[in-house]
Amino acid sequence: MTGGVTAGSTAAAPGAEGRPGDASGEGVPAGAAPQAPPAADAYAALLEDGTDAVIRTDATGAIVAANAAARRLLGRDQAELRRAGLGGVLDPADERWGPALVERAATGWFRGELRARRPDGSTVTVDLTSTLTGDGGAVALLRTASDGAPALQSADDLRRAAEAVIDTLESVSDAYFAVDEDWTITYMNRNAELVARVDRFELVGRGFWDVFPSTRGTVFEERYRRVMSTGEPEEFEGRHEASDLWVEVRAYPLPGGGLASYSRDVTERHVAQREREELLARERAARAAAEAAQRELTAQATHDNVTGLLNRWGLLRELRATTPGSGGVVLMFLDLDRFKLINDTFGHVAGDQVLAAVAERLRRLVGPDDLLARFGGDEFVVVLRSASVRRAEDLARRLVAAAEDPIPVGHTLLPLTTSIGLAAADDASAVDTLLREADAALHRVKAEGRDGFAWFDEALHRRDVVRVETERDLRRSLRTGDALTLHFQPAFALDSTEITHIEALARWDSPGRGPVPPAEFIPVAEESGLILAVGERVLACAVRQVALWPDAASARVWVNVSPRQLAVPGLADTLLRHLDAWHVAPGRLGIEVTESTMDDGRLVAQLEEVRRLGVAVAIDDFGTGYSSLSRLAGAPVDVIKIDRSFVAAGCTPKGRALLEGIVTLAHAIGAYVIAEGIETPQQLDAIAAVGADAAAGFLLARPQPATAVSWRSAYPLPRSGGATVAPAGPR
């Protein structure tokens, strides 16, 4: 039912004693045709299926329904009977009609013989039994003498039969209405009236579509018309917009034509369903919002906010999520050369602009299936999946070339270069190994001059491992103070064969590895900063040993001082502290520095303080560095030590010329000359011939512990200028 008329109330009609057994609207077994409720059965039995002619009138006397037998008896269809009314059916010539109606009104029923009129003017005598019904209307049963049907025992039988139908229709909790084949409303129960908020007696006899136009074009019209056309019952649900109700409808065809409809209000169920759907929608929205928030948090946690690339954690997360055995990978570790200078000069904002620009260049060069990340600072990582060596090297070349294009920052174009280390593995799950190997290869590129790329190799890895182990063990030895010692190598004066200079050389006996050559541990100490502690210990031990060599009062002990030591203010004070502690005269100590030291004014100032203290200064390995003649001329230098490479080449004309030039230059600035690395008699003769002042090397004396130092040369010494003299005896 629709439009309020078909929307059934869930409450029983006033005065009803609950719902009849089958009027609850319970579901129909699958595959079975819906069964009509008892009210429909009673209605059909009385009005449609019976052989007696039955007419129903409303309280005004208007005919609202006539069954098939009545229509045949009176020769009119349903519509014609409604239009004719009671007055058009009775024979006006039959004077018995008036008293009969009066009697029925007075007693509630009437039974007697009367004459009815057909449309063609003919009449038929009928045995009429009529009774008033509870709704103010009346039911009349008409029989002719030829019907042959047994007569009702009394009018009470008719009244009871009619009232049974009415009671059934009124007692059901559903809203009920019936229409004939012309869509004229023939009946509407109390619940339908209450729900529709109408006067049902005004609606009975009127066209359904005229009374309820809002049902047109809806599921109600579609299903009702289907019942009319197919003669099959329909069950469906629909929403009536005007009354804002959801109803469950069961529509049945009536045997004589037309249909009956039962409707119940299921709005609460739909409201509950809608609330559940809204709740589910809110839950889905909340879940989606939470997932979006989680994705945002994950993105923030896994991506760099300057470049938008994956960060270190995001890259590791992606790589560790890679399925093992999914194919080989190449990892490229990129570092922007001298990026710290950009930050220090132009500020971190400019530095971030450079990083963002570099990231954009990398995006354009890296493939869509590859990973790109900013690993930290000015370091980037590219991971190539299933890449060949050729493809990896081609990309590395393009990355190096792309980095050379200046990057605009404000009105400035900043030049940039990059260094790249590459490592390959059969499985991306070996990410830690890949990163370590690529980083090691990157450091190799930087050590070899930057602005290029290199592959990792095992020898390189082993060297780095040794360096790490060396630093760790050296640090431990400096802490315990029992593994770092000194060996001493004397230099002999070529004019007197006396020991005039002794170089203190650091020696380290690692508890775990045994003796470690200075060429291995000194560079590690320089890089790690441990050279300050090593230099302090060497200085302390050397001064102490000078104090223990009273017989060598004329010899000066030399200690190497690294640029990092020299850069620390107060070197002269440190030297004086150690000299005073052992009561050693400053003239018995000298420090050796590199040639490049003379190019730094701050370091030269430190050396001048040292010389004012009385400690001598020497340039070690002279000739391997570079310093201008003007700087050397004014440098605070007492001794120049010629590097062994020039000594080794001194037997050739060109080499002899170089030696001669160095000696001449040194003497010109007032420096004493010591030639180091003498290993053959020919080398000894060559340096003597060019006028060197002293010589040192394995040919003359090897480095030894202090207690084993030999005070005489192991080989006869030539006098400066070429004459040979016998070795000096023990002092």
Side-chain angles (χ1 to χ4, degrees):
M1 184 171 178
T2 63
V5 175
T6 60
S9 169
T10 56
E17 296 296 327
R19 304 166 71 173
D22 292 334
S24 62
E26 294 294 327
V28 179
Q35 299 299 313
D41 293 339
Y43 183 87
L46 180 67
L47 293 181
E48 298 299 332
D49 297 339
T51 58
D52 296 327
V54 178
I55 295 176
R56 280 198 69 240
T57 60
D58 61 15
T60 67
I63 297 174
V64 296
N67 68 354
R71 295 194 293 272
R72 287 193 300 272
L73 175 66
L74 299 176
R76 304 172 190 261
D77 61 21
Q78 193 88 261
E80 289 173 336
L81 286 173
R82 290 198 194 95
R83 286 195 297 271
L86 185 60
V89 171
L90 57 84
D91 182 2
D94 189 346
E95 297 178 352
R96 294 172 291 180
W97 276 104
L101 294 175
V102 172
E103 182 180 345
R104 189 188 67 179
T107 63
W109 65 279
F110 168 80
R111 181 180 180 185
E113 189 175 272
L114 295 170
R115 196 166 58 245
R117 185 175 60 176
R118 293 190 174 98
D120 60 1
S122 63
T123 61
V124 58
T125 300
V126 298
D127 181 12
L128 183 142
T129 303
S130 179
T131 182
L132 296 177
T133 57
D135 59 359
V139 176
L141 184 144
L142 299 82
R143 291 180 177 173
T144 64
S146 61
D147 285 340
L152 295 175
Q153 297 300 316
S154 69
D156 290 341
D157 295 336
L158 177 61
R159 184 173 62 253
R160 283 192 294 271
E163 288 178 348
V165 173
I166 301 303
D167 288 346
T168 300
L169 294 175
E170 295 298 327
S171 66
V172 295
S173 61
D174 297 344
Y176 171 85
F177 77 92
V179 297
D180 63 14
E181 64 273 16
D182 297 323
W183 297 99
T184 301
I185 300 172
T186 60
Y187 185 79
M188 180 182 293
N189 72 354
R190 176 65 174 166
N191 278 344
E193 182 182 47
L194 291 173
V195 172
R197 298 183 181 89
V198 296
D199 184 344
R200 54 179 165 166
F201 299 113
E202 292 181 359
L203 301 184
V204 172
R206 296 175 60 187
F208 179 81
W209 304 116
D210 296 332
V211 174
F212 302 109
S214 63
T215 56
R216 289 189 178 276
T218 67
V219 66
F220 300 101
E221 180 179 18
E222 175 191 351
R223 295 301 186 91
Y224 287 157
R225 291 191 183 278
R226 188 183 300 174
V227 172
M228 284 286 206
S229 63
T230 64
E232 297 294 332
E234 291 277 345
E235 291 192 15
F236 62 93
E237 288 187 3
R239 182 173 183 274
H240 186 257
E241 297 291 341
S243 57
D244 193 23
L245 291 175
W246 277 92
V247 291
E248 178 185 80
V249 180
R250 291 169 294 162
Y252 303 89
L254 293 174
L259 65 83
S261 173
Y262 295 82
S263 303
R264 69 174 51 200
D265 185 355
V266 291
T267 303
E268 289 186 3
R269 172 159 59 81
H270 277 265
V271 169
Q273 176 66 23
R274 185 169 64 248
E275 289 176 348
R276 285 194 297 271
E277 292 174 353
E278 290 175 353
L279 178 60
L280 288 174
R282 287 196 297 271
E283 289 178 351
R284 285 193 293 268
R287 186 163 57 249
E291 291 172 354
Q294 182 60 45
R295 286 193 298 271
E296 179 65 22
L297 289 174
T298 301
Q300 292 177 2
T302 58
H303 288 73
D304 172 53
N305 59 357
V306 174
T307 63
L309 302 178
L310 288 170
N311 59 18
R312 179 194 301 259
W313 188 81
L315 176 68
L316 296 178
R317 182 169 176 261
E318 289 284 339
L319 288 177
R320 286 167 179 159
T322 303
T323 304
S326 57
V329 297
V330 173
L331 189 145
M332 308 174 70
F333 214 129
L334 291 78
D335 182 88
L336 305 182
D337 299 328
R338 301 182 182 89
F339 178 75
K340 185 177 182 300
L341 182 61
I342 294 176
N343 269 342
D344 293 344
T345 305
F346 297 95
H348 289 279
V349 172
D352 287 348
Q353 292 176 352
V354 170
L355 292 173
V358 170
E360 187 57 36
R361 290 181 180 180
L362 294 177
R363 281 193 186 94
R364 292 197 296 266
L365 293 173
V366 173
D369 296 329
D370 303 323
L371 295 177
L372 174 61
R374 180 190 175 196
F375 209 61
D378 60 339
E379 297 173 334
F380 295 84
V381 170
V382 178
V383 179
L384 309 179
R385 294 186 171 102
S386 302
S388 64
V389 171
R390 181 176 179 180
R391 182 198 165 203
E393 291 185 351
D394 178 64
L395 178 59
R397 289 188 187 93
R398 286 188 288 130
L399 292 175
V400 170
E404 294 176 355
D405 292 336
I407 294 177
V409 175
H411 300 293
T412 305
L413 289 175
L414 298 181
L416 203 64
T417 60
T418 187
S419 301
I420 304 175
L422 298 92
D426 295 333
D427 200 319
S429 60
V431 56
D432 295 329
T433 301
L434 277 168
L435 286 168
R436 183 181 67 246
E437 292 178 352
D439 188 45
L442 172 65
H443 281 83
R444 175 184 166 193
V445 176
K446 286 190 170 292
E448 293 176 355
R450 302 183 176 90
D451 194 18
F453 68 90
W455 285 92
F456 169 82
D457 59 52
E458 193 58 38
L460 176 67
H461 173 59
R462 184 57 196 163
R463 190 186 74 180
D464 289 340
V465 170
V466 169
R467 292 178 77 87
V468 171
E469 293 174 348
T470 298
E471 179 183 344
R472 178 197 63 202
D473 294 344
L474 181 59
R475 195 178 297 277
R476 184 183 301 121
S477 293
L478 288 169
R479 189 168 56 250
T480 58
D482 57 359
L484 199 65
T485 59
L486 295 184
H487 282 194
F488 297 88
Q489 185 177 27
F492 296 90
L494 295 181
D495 59 352
S496 66
T497 72
E498 292 182 348
I499 295 177
T500 54
H501 303 275
I502 303 174
E503 184 174 3
L505 302 170
R507 294 294 183 266
W508 176 40
D509 191 6
S510 170
R513 299 164 54 197
V516 180
E520 287 188 18
F521 76 84
I522 292 298
V524 173
E526 289 276 8
E527 291 179 8
S528 63
L530 294 176
I531 194 66
L532 297 177
V534 171
E536 181 75 13
R537 181 162 179 78
V538 168
L539 180 60
C541 292
V543 173
R544 174 177 176 273
Q545 190 57 51
V546 171
L548 297 176
W549 273 336
D551 294 339
S554 61
R556 176 180 281 120
V557 174
W558 293 90
V559 177
N560 283 283
V561 174
S562 75
R564 295 190 68 166
Q565 286 177 274
L566 193 59
V568 177
L571 177 62
D573 295 336
T574 300
L575 296 174
L576 182 58
R577 173 167 50 83
H578 286 289
L579 293 170
D580 288 346
W582 291 97
H583 306 290
V584 173
R588 296 192 62 191
L589 183 67
I591 63 171
E592 299 181 19
V593 297
T594 60
E595 186 177 350
S596 60
T597 301
M598 301 306 164
D599 294 327
D600 191 324
R602 293 172 302 171
L603 303 186
V604 170
Q606 285 260 58
L607 294 178
E608 289 173 344
E609 289 187 21
V610 169
R611 290 188 78 213
R612 284 195 293 270
L613 182 65
V615 175
V617 174
I619 294 179
D620 193 20
D621 300 330
F622 185 85
T624 57
Y626 169 79
S627 185
S628 66
L629 292 177
S630 60
R631 283 198 177 275
L632 283 177
V637 176
D638 300 293
V639 174
I640 285 182
K641 291 190 172 186
I642 302 176
D643 183 70
R644 64 182 63 245
S645 61
F646 291 97
V647 172
C651 297
T652 66
K654 182 177 180 180
R656 177 171 178 143
L658 287 173
L659 280 177
E660 205 166 359
I662 292 173
V663 171
T664 301
L665 173 62
H667 287 163
I669 62 175
Y672 188 83
V673 179
I674 301 175
E676 296 186 309
I678 306 299
E679 296 182 354
T680 67
Q682 292 80 11
Q683 292 172 356
L684 181 61
D685 291 341
I687 63 102
V690 297
D693 299 304
F698 285 178
L699 179 66
L700 309 179
R702 288 179 175 272
Q704 296 291 341
T707 56
V709 171
S710 174
W711 298 100
R712 82 168 44 178
S713 171
Y715 188 83
L717 292 169
R719 288 190 181 276
S720 183
T724 301
V725 297
R731 300 189 57 190

